[in-house]
Each structure stands twice: as C-alpha cells, then as structure tokens.
C-alpha cells in the first residue's frame, strides 16, 4: 500500500460531461502529481502541485484543471469529456524534493461512452 | 525534448533466471533515473533509483546500471520470481526540468513457471 488514496476507482460517464477525481496524498507528503495512462500514450505527466501551489505543468488539456487544497488533498477536474479521454488517471505524492520518489495511488479508471 | 524508450516491449523469463530490462534515453542533461514496477490493476511502484554520478546501484535482488556514454539504463532482477511479473518503466528527470518525471513506454515481464 503506497498510502495514496484515489477515488473513485471506476467512473463511467458520457461525452460532454464533467467529472472530478480525488486524491489524498501520503501522510507528510506536500507534493501531488497527476498522470494519465492510456494504452497508446503510456504514462503522461499532467500537472504537479506543491503545498497548494502549481509547480509544473505537462501535457494537460485546457478542458482539464486541478487544484490542491489546504489539507493537501487534490482534485482533477475533467470537463467536456471526449471518448479519447478514457484512460487511467493516477495521482502520486512525494515529499516534494527533486529526488523524492513518487508514490502512486491505484488510479481511477475513466470510461467515456 | 527528452524521450525515454525501452528496447523491448515484452520479456519472457524462466522462474529462477535473471532478468535484464533495458532502457535508452536521449536527454544527456538528465541526472536522475528511476525504475518503477506496475502490477495489473495497481499504480506504479518505486523500485530503485540512480543518480548520474553513479554507474551502478544495488537493491534487494535488483541492480540498476547506468551507462552515460551511450545513454543506456538497465534493470537487472536476480532469481526472477512469479511476483516479478509486471510492467517495468524507466523514468528520468532532466536537470533543466526539475519535476517533470518522463516515463518510457514500459516492458512487460512475464515469468514462466
């Protein structure tokens, strides 16, 4: 068990809808990362937060947004969903130092129909 | 930009044999490398890391080798066990980008009994 909790585990929704994925980091970790994993793209970095502030941004679509709250949990919001957004979304946390290992949750599987 | 690639997408290994998983990277500015293991239905799990000032690092049954001359990284698993069946990812952090961990496409290791 990595200590990172993601909810929900599965999500099925229709195109055009909006969903929110939630992540609770490991106790003591200040940094939260979001990754998207699809069969043809592998693990793609989306965004990172450190202690409530955005620290790094990857290939995150404008339809997607995230935030980290004062209690350090994070939410990833996906809107105007398209079929191609179907994927596994992983949250990871770390102490926030450059070489701190990332600890991943077990992901949320999003299916857009 | 940086890219991380693995030599083989799949590897079949006899139980008890040693496994070698290879990874090539293109960004010579990367100075930190990590190997992750992802079992079915779970998030990636940290295995071992290595900094660019090292050539070799050993963990429990695993060894990571770094050849900066040819930009090659490998993970050796000793006495492979059924529980080692998983997808293995190498990842790098370039000096120029402190926090965007870039993952390779992954090698699926299957252990034969």
């Amino acid at each position: 068990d990595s200590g990172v909790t993601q909810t929900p585990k599965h999500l099925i929704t229709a195109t055009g809808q909006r969903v929110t994925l939630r992540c609770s980091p490991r106790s003591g970790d200040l940094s939260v990362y979001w990754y998207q994993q699809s069969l043809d793209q592998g693990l793609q970095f989306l965004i990172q937060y450190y202690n409530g502030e955005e620290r790094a941004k990857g290939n995150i679509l404008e339809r997607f947004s995230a935030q980290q709250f004062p209690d350090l949990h994070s939410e990833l919001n996906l809107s105007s969903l398209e079929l191609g957004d179907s994927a596994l979304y992983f949250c990871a946390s770390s102490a926030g130092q450059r070489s701190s290992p990332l600890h991943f949750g077990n992901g949320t599987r999003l299916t857009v129909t | 930009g940086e890219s991380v690639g693995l030599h083989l997408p799949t590897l079949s290994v006899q139980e008890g044999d040693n496994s070698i998983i290879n990874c090539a990277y293109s960004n010579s500015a990367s100075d930190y490398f990590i190997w992750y293991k992802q079992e079915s239905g779970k998030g990636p799990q940290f295995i071992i890391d290595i900094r660019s000032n090292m050539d070799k690092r050993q963990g429990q049954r695993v060894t990571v080798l770094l050849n900066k001359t040819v930009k090659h990284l490998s993970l050796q698993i000793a006495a492979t066990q059924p529980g080692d069946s998983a997808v293995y990812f190498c990842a790098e952090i370039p000096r120029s980008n402190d926090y965007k961990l870039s993952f390779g496409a992954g090698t699926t290791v299957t252990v034969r009994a």
Side-chain angles (χ1 to χ4, degrees):
Chain A
D1 183 11
S2 67
V4 177
T5 303
Q6 287 188 250
T7 57
K9 290 184 180 179
H10 302 277
L11 200 48
I12 302 174
T13 189
T15 54
Q17 295 298 305
R18 172 190 169 94
V19 297
T20 298
L21 313 183
R22 184 187 167 100
C23 170
S24 293
R26 281 193 335 158
S27 177
D29 282 353
L30 297 177
S31 198
V32 169
Y33 305 73
W34 286 98
Y35 280 82
Q36 180 191 56
Q37 186 177 41
S38 55
L39 282 174
D40 57 344
Q41 293 289 324
L43 270 163
Q44 299 291 316
F45 170 73
L46 296 178
I47 198 164
Q48 181 208 358
Y49 281 83
Y50 178 81
N51 204 18
E53 298 201 358
E54 182 183 306
R55 177 175 259 180
K57 215 166 189 176
N59 301 320
I60 187 167
L61 299 172
E62 286 191 10
R63 300 183 285 108
F64 296 0
S65 65
Q67 55 184 329
Q68 186 180 28
F69 295 87
D71 66 352
L72 302 177
H73 91 271
S74 178
E75 292 181 355
L76 178 67
N77 300 298
L78 315 176
S79 61
S80 302
L81 285 167
E82 302 174 359
L83 295 177
D85 297 327
S86 295
L88 268 168
Y89 291 85
F90 286 104
C91 170
S93 74
S94 78
Q97 305 308 311
R98 188 168 177 273
S99 59
S100 301
L102 269 62
H103 299 272
F104 284 81
N106 286 330
T108 293
R109 180 173 293 280
L110 174 67
T111 303
V112 182
T113 62
Chain B
E2 65 272 13
S3 68
V4 183
L6 289 166
H7 288 237
L8 292 172
T10 61
L11 180 67
S12 180
V13 183
Q14 185 68 39
E15 182 179 357
D17 287 352
N18 297 334
S19 305
I20 300 177
I21 306 166
N22 296 303
C23 179
Y25 63 96
S26 62
N27 191 337
S28 57
S30 292
D31 64 346
Y32 181 58
F33 303 88
I34 313 111
W35 281 99
Y36 282 87
K37 169 187 179 183
Q38 186 176 19
E39 297 175 83
S40 181
K42 296 186 178 180
Q45 176 187 5
F46 173 87
I47 302 174
I48 191 167
D49 58 0
I50 188 168
R51 295 183 184 280
S52 59
N53 61 353
M54 303 171 69
D55 297 324
K56 179 180 179 179
R57 191 170 186 211
Q58 287 184 295
Q60 188 175 16
R61 280 201 309 119
V62 295
T63 301
V64 56
L65 299 176
L66 177 62
N67 185 329
K68 294 179 289 294
T69 303
V70 295
K71 289 184 279 190
H72 183 268
L73 190 70
S74 69
L75 178 71
Q76 299 178 0
I77 305 174
T80 310
Q81 302 170 359
D84 295 327
S85 292
V87 180
Y88 290 80
F89 296 95
C90 62
E92 63 173 327
I93 297 183
R95 284 193 200 92
S96 62
N97 197 327
D98 283 355
Y99 302 100
K100 285 190 201 176
L101 197 61
S102 298
F103 284 84
T107 290
T108 300
V109 173
T110 303
V111 180
R112 306 188 307 272

